[in-house]
Short mmCIF file of all heavy atoms in Angstrom, two decimals:
data_model
loop_
_atom_site.label_atom_id
_atom_site.label_comp_id
_atom_site.label_asym_id
_atom_site.label_seq_id
_atom_site.Cartn_x
_atom_site.Cartn_y
_atom_site.Cartn_z
N ALA A 110 0.83 -1.21 0.00
CA ALA A 110 0.00 0.00 0.00
C ALA A 110 0.86 1.26 0.00
O ALA A 110 0.55 2.24 -0.69
CB ALA A 110 -0.94 -0.01 1.20
N ARG A 111 1.95 1.25 0.78
CA ARG A 111 2.83 2.43 0.81
C ARG A 111 3.54 2.61 -0.53
O ARG A 111 3.74 3.73 -1.00
CB ARG A 111 3.81 2.32 1.97
CG ARG A 111 3.18 2.61 3.33
CD ARG A 111 4.22 2.65 4.43
NE ARG A 111 4.66 1.31 4.79
CZ ARG A 111 4.12 0.58 5.77
NH1 ARG A 111 3.10 1.08 6.48
NH2 ARG A 111 4.57 -0.62 6.05
N PHE A 112 3.94 1.48 -1.15
CA PHE A 112 4.53 1.57 -2.49
C PHE A 112 3.53 2.15 -3.48
O PHE A 112 3.85 3.04 -4.28
CB PHE A 112 5.00 0.19 -2.96
CG PHE A 112 5.46 0.16 -4.39
CD1 PHE A 112 6.77 0.46 -4.72
CD2 PHE A 112 4.56 -0.16 -5.42
CE1 PHE A 112 7.18 0.44 -6.05
CE2 PHE A 112 4.97 -0.17 -6.73
CZ PHE A 112 6.28 0.13 -7.06
N GLY A 113 2.31 1.63 -3.46
CA GLY A 113 1.28 2.11 -4.37
C GLY A 113 1.01 3.60 -4.19
O GLY A 113 0.85 4.34 -5.17
N ASP A 114 1.00 4.05 -2.96
CA ASP A 114 0.77 5.45 -2.67
C ASP A 114 1.91 6.31 -3.24
O ASP A 114 1.66 7.34 -3.88
CB ASP A 114 0.67 5.64 -1.15
CG ASP A 114 0.12 6.98 -0.76
OD1 ASP A 114 -1.07 7.25 -1.04
OD2 ASP A 114 0.87 7.79 -0.17
N ALA A 115 3.14 5.87 -3.03
CA ALA A 115 4.30 6.63 -3.50
C ALA A 115 4.37 6.63 -5.03
O ALA A 115 4.68 7.66 -5.65
CB ALA A 115 5.58 6.04 -2.92
N LEU A 116 4.05 5.50 -5.66
CA LEU A 116 4.08 5.43 -7.12
C LEU A 116 3.02 6.37 -7.72
O LEU A 116 3.29 7.09 -8.68
CB LEU A 116 3.85 4.00 -7.59
CG LEU A 116 3.71 3.78 -9.10
CD1 LEU A 116 4.91 4.31 -9.85
CD2 LEU A 116 3.48 2.30 -9.41
N THR A 117 1.83 6.36 -7.16
CA THR A 117 0.77 7.22 -7.68
C THR A 117 1.16 8.69 -7.57
O THR A 117 0.82 9.51 -8.44
CB THR A 117 -0.54 6.96 -6.93
OG1 THR A 117 -0.85 5.56 -6.98
CG2 THR A 117 -1.70 7.74 -7.54
N ALA A 118 1.89 9.04 -6.51
CA ALA A 118 2.29 10.43 -6.30
C ALA A 118 3.45 10.87 -7.18
O ALA A 118 3.77 12.06 -7.23
CB ALA A 118 2.66 10.64 -4.83
N MET A 119 4.09 9.94 -7.89
CA MET A 119 5.23 10.28 -8.75
C MET A 119 4.71 10.81 -10.07
O MET A 119 4.49 10.07 -11.04
CB MET A 119 6.12 9.05 -8.96
CG MET A 119 6.82 8.59 -7.69
SD MET A 119 7.78 7.05 -7.90
CE MET A 119 9.11 7.63 -8.95
N ASP A 120 4.48 12.11 -10.13
CA ASP A 120 3.85 12.71 -11.31
C ASP A 120 4.70 12.55 -12.57
O ASP A 120 4.16 12.58 -13.69
CB ASP A 120 3.59 14.19 -11.05
CG ASP A 120 2.52 14.42 -10.01
OD1 ASP A 120 1.69 13.52 -9.83
OD2 ASP A 120 2.51 15.48 -9.37
N GLY A 121 6.00 12.40 -12.42
CA GLY A 121 6.86 12.28 -13.59
C GLY A 121 6.83 10.92 -14.24
O GLY A 121 7.34 10.76 -15.35
N VAL A 122 6.26 9.91 -13.56
CA VAL A 122 6.19 8.55 -14.10
C VAL A 122 4.83 8.36 -14.77
O VAL A 122 3.78 8.51 -14.14
CB VAL A 122 6.39 7.50 -12.99
CG1 VAL A 122 6.15 6.09 -13.52
CG2 VAL A 122 7.79 7.61 -12.41
N VAL A 123 4.85 8.02 -16.06
CA VAL A 123 3.61 7.84 -16.81
C VAL A 123 3.05 6.45 -16.51
O VAL A 123 3.71 5.43 -16.77
CB VAL A 123 3.86 8.02 -18.32
CG1 VAL A 123 2.59 7.75 -19.11
CG2 VAL A 123 4.36 9.43 -18.59
N LYS A 124 1.86 6.41 -15.95
CA LYS A 124 1.27 5.16 -15.49
C LYS A 124 -0.24 5.18 -15.73
O LYS A 124 -0.85 6.23 -15.88
CB LYS A 124 1.55 4.97 -13.99
CG LYS A 124 1.13 6.15 -13.15
CD LYS A 124 1.77 6.11 -11.77
CE LYS A 124 1.58 7.42 -11.02
NZ LYS A 124 2.32 8.55 -11.66
N LYS A 125 -0.83 4.00 -15.73
CA LYS A 125 -2.27 3.90 -15.97
C LYS A 125 -2.97 3.04 -14.93
O LYS A 125 -4.21 3.03 -14.88
CB LYS A 125 -2.54 3.35 -17.37
CG LYS A 125 -3.95 3.62 -17.87
CD LYS A 125 -4.07 3.51 -19.37
CE LYS A 125 -5.46 4.00 -19.82
NZ LYS A 125 -5.58 4.02 -21.29
N LEU A 126 -2.23 2.33 -14.11
CA LEU A 126 -2.85 1.43 -13.13
C LEU A 126 -1.93 1.25 -11.95
O LEU A 126 -0.73 1.00 -12.12
CB LEU A 126 -3.12 0.07 -13.79
CG LEU A 126 -3.63 -1.05 -12.88
CD1 LEU A 126 -5.07 -0.77 -12.43
CD2 LEU A 126 -3.58 -2.40 -13.60
N VAL A 127 -2.50 1.37 -10.74
CA VAL A 127 -1.80 1.01 -9.50
C VAL A 127 -2.81 0.31 -8.61
O VAL A 127 -3.67 0.93 -8.00
CB VAL A 127 -1.21 2.24 -8.78
CG1 VAL A 127 -0.45 1.78 -7.53
CG2 VAL A 127 -0.29 3.04 -9.70
N CYS A 128 -2.73 -1.01 -8.57
CA CYS A 128 -3.68 -1.85 -7.85
C CYS A 128 -2.94 -2.64 -6.78
O CYS A 128 -1.86 -3.18 -7.04
CB CYS A 128 -4.37 -2.81 -8.82
SG CYS A 128 -5.32 -4.14 -8.05
N VAL A 129 -3.50 -2.71 -5.57
CA VAL A 129 -2.90 -3.44 -4.45
C VAL A 129 -3.85 -4.54 -4.01
O VAL A 129 -5.05 -4.30 -3.80
CB VAL A 129 -2.62 -2.49 -3.26
CG1 VAL A 129 -2.14 -3.29 -2.05
CG2 VAL A 129 -1.59 -1.44 -3.66
N LEU A 130 -3.31 -5.75 -3.88
CA LEU A 130 -4.10 -6.91 -3.48
C LEU A 130 -3.44 -7.61 -2.30
O LEU A 130 -2.29 -8.03 -2.38
CB LEU A 130 -4.22 -7.89 -4.65
CG LEU A 130 -4.85 -7.35 -5.93
CD1 LEU A 130 -4.58 -8.28 -7.09
CD2 LEU A 130 -6.34 -7.14 -5.73
N ALA A 131 -4.19 -7.74 -1.22
CA ALA A 131 -3.68 -8.46 -0.06
C ALA A 131 -3.58 -9.95 -0.37
O ALA A 131 -4.33 -10.48 -1.20
CB ALA A 131 -4.61 -8.25 1.14
N ALA A 132 -2.64 -10.62 0.31
CA ALA A 132 -2.66 -12.09 0.29
C ALA A 132 -3.91 -12.52 1.05
O ALA A 132 -4.29 -11.89 2.04
CB ALA A 132 -1.40 -12.63 0.95
N PRO A 133 -4.60 -13.54 0.60
CA PRO A 133 -4.25 -14.47 -0.48
C PRO A 133 -5.13 -14.30 -1.70
O PRO A 133 -5.51 -15.30 -2.33
CB PRO A 133 -4.50 -15.81 0.19
CG PRO A 133 -5.76 -15.55 1.02
CD PRO A 133 -5.67 -14.11 1.47
N ILE A 134 -5.49 -13.08 -2.09
CA ILE A 134 -6.43 -12.90 -3.20
C ILE A 134 -5.87 -13.52 -4.48
O ILE A 134 -6.51 -14.38 -5.11
CB ILE A 134 -6.75 -11.41 -3.42
CG1 ILE A 134 -7.54 -10.85 -2.22
CG2 ILE A 134 -7.53 -11.22 -4.71
CD1 ILE A 134 -7.81 -9.36 -2.30
N ALA A 135 -4.67 -13.10 -4.89
CA ALA A 135 -4.10 -13.63 -6.13
C ALA A 135 -3.82 -15.13 -6.00
O ALA A 135 -4.05 -15.91 -6.93
CB ALA A 135 -2.83 -12.87 -6.48
#
């Protein structure tokens, strides 16, 4: 979750999806 939050806040990185899934969903 902290990684996802930091990645979303990185405006210079072009991205389209940031999804976080707890174990054991996947």
